[in-house]
Amino acid sequence: MSIQAERQYGYFDDAHREYVITEPKTPYPWINYLGDTAFFSLLSNTGGGYSFYKDAKFRRLTRYRYNNVPVDTGGKYFYIKDGDVAWSPGWKPMRTPLDKYECRHGMGYSRITGEKNGLRSSVLFFVPRNEDIEIQQMTLTNLSDEIKTIKVFSLVEWCLWNAEDDMTNFQRNFSTGQVEVKDSVIYHKTEYRERRNHYAFYSVNQKVDGFDTDRDGFLGEHNGFDTPAVVDKGESNYSIAHGWSPVASHYLEIILAPGEVKELIFTLGYVEMPEDQKWEEPGIINKSKARDMIDRFNSVDQVHLAFRELKDYWDHLLNKYIVTTDDPRLNRGVNIWNQYQNMVTFNMSRSASYFESGIGRGMGFRDSNQDLIGFVHLVPERARQRILDIAATQFEDGSAYHQYQPLTKRGNAAIGGNFNDDPMWLVQAVTVYLKETGDFSILDESVPFDNDENNCATLFEHLGRSFNFVTRNLGEHGLPLIGRADWNDCLNLNCFSMEPNESFQTTENREGGRAESVMIAGQFVLFGNDYVELCRYRDQHEEAERASGHIDAMIEAIKKHGWDGEWFLRAYDAFGKKIGTHEAEESKIFIESQGFCTMAGVGLKEGLVSKSLDSVNKYLACDYGIVLNYPAFTRYYVEYGEISTYPQGYKENGGIFCHNNPWIMIGETVQGNGDRAFEYYTKIAPAYQDDKVRLHKTEPYVYAQMIAGKEAATPGQAKNSWLTGTAAWNYVAITQAILGIKPQYDGLQVDPCIPKAWTHYSVVRQFRDVTYHIDIFNPKSVSKGVTSVVVDGEPITGNILPMFEPGTEHRVTVTMG
Ligand code: GLC
Ligand code: GLC
């Protein structure tokens, strides 16, 4: 039954690392991401989406209409006219019923295939490595036994670069659009005449039979993308855009003998020119760079080579951690899709998805630090740079801008700071990076405060500032002050807003900010201990002692003022009143403080960890995952802020906020409960939801930020897929806490916490350029505990694998018991 339900829309093809969509009418657009460094595209299973260069707000190349009808309007569209019948190979925008449809989303590429009346069109979309160009390779096959003369039209609609301005400032924008057409290339040069040094182009590797560059010229004044006048007429209008809405459309007439295959290569590129080389002659843009780019991808061979390179790159990345168990869902989650999503969240932070418009949010300080923990093993050099960029937005007192803009790398003053959990995430990211790479040189890098090059300190000093920020901002119970909010953006305890136009995130109406957070307290213990470990490792014993003292005090404060009897409290509000207590009428228990305090092992010996986790299981866990708080707020509480604005069961008010579920999984492993840890994993891991695809709605291959909780009207329905800290944290929970392969300063540690019923699994792990083939046996059906470790035939003491010469491979046998 589960397989059937899944196959209603598609299936996993693990051998190719693809998800294959077989029905264009998915419950929501199911998208993929192309590109991984500078040029990015979002592409849905029906060809919707857009491209941008580095920054989804300031360098948007093509236009997209968020929240339009029908959903997913705007994209990389093709129209084929074969006799009187016109259709789109991705089904949209024409929506002519197809004889066959398939979309394969793979690692950095998608292939969308449509068949109609004996003609197949298959378009491979990808962004080659280190190129600012999207390739669209269209393969046309005549499957019939007659000669076919067909007409192919392409279409993209340009965005006038600043995506926010583009959809608001029409009095200006309808007069600025400019294009050039030369040979088969359409150039978008709006604002190039003034301060921009960049343009875009859309090209095809064959002489065109026509073109259009004005939207009305292509569609006709009264039509939508589904009924372009040009396609109806069967020829282009040769329109040149002057303002209004510039587009790029090629028209090609193709003759195909029976069985014949023809290839067209479309390229969508972005070019920057030095100021003194902008023009070829007055008013005519210098196209040399664009020509070079187009020439690099002019032939099928060149495209194949670039595609091979992309595939090889992903092979190389995904060879770094491979688990083999009897359960294909676990294998595909860990080995393919979770790591892929980690790359995407690392690249995008929370900026551009089908739920994030790409105009509102830059890179989050806390988000990007956390994204890094699931990414660092993939491309450590990029993680290193990211850490330095993030740390440079920290203030001298250890606090931080909550967000920064990726293009400028400057802190975003409009959002400001004062989210008091922010500082400690830096400690987590840096220690995780160090354990993975052993690259301690990063700690000596000189890093500015607030991007001021005249005010720098070592990265190590930045970590100290993070730590001290917390110790200097404690409240009356000795717990950390919450500021505007902690990890939960919506628990706004100093906001007190009665004005609907105020932002909960930036408003602080109550001066003095008495409110305290038990979540930050747990976070401080957990990552503070990482800081202490690092200090000791670096022989900074005095600093380690000093820091330990603060951590001990925090643990005492949590036990004394942060414990409710059966679980950890969540916070104290601005009046010093408890939040997350059995005494309350609503929201008696919250997940975040249970997660952080149990991961940190606060009160482990006294049984607090196990009590807390049992309460989570009893009150928060449900069929679809673990909800954030229970019972959800049924009305607005001015003293709690945005959390109580959401109807029950959604988002931060009783939703399954997937990001924090792995905290509980990891907490369970702290007390050795592998069965419950893994059960929670399967509740939200996408590969395990194959019987709920329709209900779930969003892509079955990636995590969503939120699944409607048990008190919602639509429990089990997911929203906000792709860009969520869920990806990185779940990856850490499953690969490190459960499967037990943990990078440490001195080597790779093997410390599993698994379901008792597992008897054997294996992991291949590349760690600091050494490959470990690890077999783990569980003859006594335990969850935790390692009795012997044999490396290359020799038993070792302890469970930390020795380090070896780079490039070598080693066999490890681990026996649990
Ligand atoms: C969103 C934010 C993240 C925050 C979470 C909980 O996912 O990106 O920073 O922690 O919501 O409010
Ligand atoms: C809203 C969302 C929260 C998100 C925040 C970011 O509060 O509920 O998840 O982190 O907006 O601005």
Side-chain angles (χ1 to χ4, degrees), residues 244-266:
W244 298 110
S245 288
V247 299
S249 167
H250 308 98
Y251 160 47
L252 300 131
E253 224 177 81
I254 313 268
I255 301 175
L256 290 157
E260 191 178 356
V261 180
K262 277 198 176 153
E263 307 267 3
L264 297 173
I265 301 164
F266 297 86

Side-chain angles (χ1 to χ4, degrees), residues 350 361 366-367 402 487-490 652 657 659 705:
R350 305 296 169 266
R361 302 175 69 186
R366 84 154 79 87
D367 292 332
H402 197 48
W487 171 87
N488 190 335
D489 273 334
C490 298
E652 281 90 339
F657 214 93
H659 185 153
Q705 180 207 56

Side-chain angles (χ1 to χ4, degrees), residues 51-306:
S51 298
F52 62 93
Y53 177 75
K54 285 192 181 168
D55 189 312
K57 176 173 178 180
F58 290 120
R59 288 284 192 286
R60 186 79 65 100
L61 270 61
T62 61
R63 188 173 279 166
Y64 186 74
R65 289 173 176 72
Y66 275 97
N67 200 13
N68 211 293
V69 280
V71 69
D72 196 19
T73 297
K76 314 291 171 55
Y77 289 151
F78 292 103
Y79 303 85
I80 291 177
K81 195 157 189 193
D82 179 7
D84 287 339
V85 182
W87 53 284
S88 297
W91 184 60
K92 274 189 174 178
M94 296 212 80
R95 292 186 290 169
T96 309
L98 300 175
D99 299 338
K100 243 181 166 173
Y101 158 91
E102 184 186 87
C103 168
R104 288 180 171 262
H105 284 321
M107 307 286 105
Y109 68 90
S110 295
R111 180 187 282 287
I112 305 181
T113 305
E115 259 179 55
K116 182 84 185 168
N117 297 342
L119 180 71
R120 178 192 299 148
S121 157
S122 186
V123 186
L124 171 68
F125 298 82
F126 72 102
V127 175
R129 302 264 309 129
N130 307 314
E131 295 277 358
D132 299 330
I133 202 167
E134 176 185 302
I135 310 276
Q136 305 164 351
Q137 182 192 4
M138 174 182 268
T139 309
L140 293 161
T141 311
N142 183 354
L143 305 166
S144 78
D145 41 22
E146 275 157 38
I147 296 187
K148 276 186 183 284
T149 304
I150 59 159
K151 297 171 177 196
V152 176
F153 299 87
S154 64
L155 179 71
V156 298
E157 185 179 9
W158 300 114
C159 179
L160 308 187
W161 303 115
N162 179 327
E164 184 173 30
D165 192 71
D166 181 74
M167 59 184 196
T168 45
N169 194 8
F170 307 112
Q171 59 79 24
R172 167 181 161 83
N173 294 340
F174 283 172
S175 293
T176 57
Q178 287 192 296
V179 298
E180 279 181 38
V181 183
K182 176 95 199 293
D183 305 324
S184 299
V185 192
I186 295 159
Y187 296 89
H188 176 225
K189 61 169 187 178
T190 301
E191 291 188 350
Y192 191 71
R193 68 198 300 282
E194 33 131 340
R195 292 157 299 172
R196 292 190 186 275
N197 66 345
H198 49 87
Y199 62 81
F201 64 83
Y202 191 37
S203 154
V204 61
N205 70 335
Q206 183 173 318
K207 197 169 167 313
V208 294
D209 296 294
F211 64 83
D212 275 286
T213 70
D214 177 66
R215 196 179 70 210
D216 284 354
F218 180 80
L219 295 179
E221 278 175 1
H222 302 285
N223 303 345
F225 289 119
D226 55 342
T227 51
V230 157
V231 176
D232 190 42
K233 191 167 77 164
E235 58 180 308
S236 290
N237 270 331
Y238 301 91
S239 57
I240 294 288
H242 301 284
W244 298 110
S245 288
V247 299
S249 167
H250 308 98
Y251 160 47
L252 300 131
E253 224 177 81
I254 313 268
I255 301 175
L256 290 157
E260 191 178 356
V261 180
K262 277 198 176 153
E263 307 267 3
L264 297 173
I265 301 164
F266 297 86
T267 49
L268 175 71
Y270 169 87
V271 174
E272 275 176 10
M273 295 302 290
E275 192 59 37
D276 58 344
Q277 292 168 37
K278 277 175 77 170
W279 306 98
E280 210 161 273
E281 48 188 274
I284 306 292
I285 64 175
N286 182 346
K287 306 178 178 63
S288 55
K289 250 190 176 172
R291 274 269 43 116
D292 288 349
M293 284 167 76
I294 292 166
D295 286 347
R296 283 204 288 283
F297 302 102
N298 231 354
S299 70
V300 170
D301 285 350
Q302 288 165 310
V303 169
H304 276 172
L305 209 68

Side-chain angles (χ1 to χ4, degrees), residues 1 8 123 167-168 177 234 255 264 309 356 363 428 444 466 517 531 613 648 667 669 689 714 720:
M1 124 85 191
Q8 193 182 345
V123 186
M167 59 184 196
T168 45
I255 301 175
L264 297 173
E309 234 182 89
E356 303 276 10
M363 313 292 284
Q428 180 193 27
D444 303 324
S466 285
S517 162
Y531 178 65
L613 291 169
Q648 297 93 282
T669 67
Q689 313 310 320
T714 56
N720 303 0

Side-chain angles (χ1 to χ4, degrees), residues 437-508:
T437 62
D439 166 28
F440 286 88
S441 74
I442 193 174
L443 293 175
D444 303 324
E445 292 279 351
S446 161
V447 182
F449 291 108
D450 191 8
N451 288 108
D452 176 1
E453 292 295 339
N454 298 316
N455 184 12
C456 295
T458 62
L459 181 64
F460 184 71
E461 172 68 24
H462 277 259
L463 300 186
R465 303 283 173 105
S466 285
F467 187 92
N468 296 342
F469 177 84
V470 181
T471 61
R472 274 205 322 272
N473 288 280
L474 299 177
E476 62 209 62
H477 299 94
L479 299 166
L481 294 171
I482 199 168
R484 287 191 208 282
D486 59 22
W487 171 87
N488 190 335
D489 273 334
C490 298
L491 191 63
N492 317 114
L493 303 182
N494 299 310
C495 179
F496 288 82
S497 179
M498 288 304 284
E499 159 56 53
N501 292 320
E502 274 174 359
S503 154
F504 285 103
Q505 256 91 61
T506 53
T507 308
E508 211 171 317

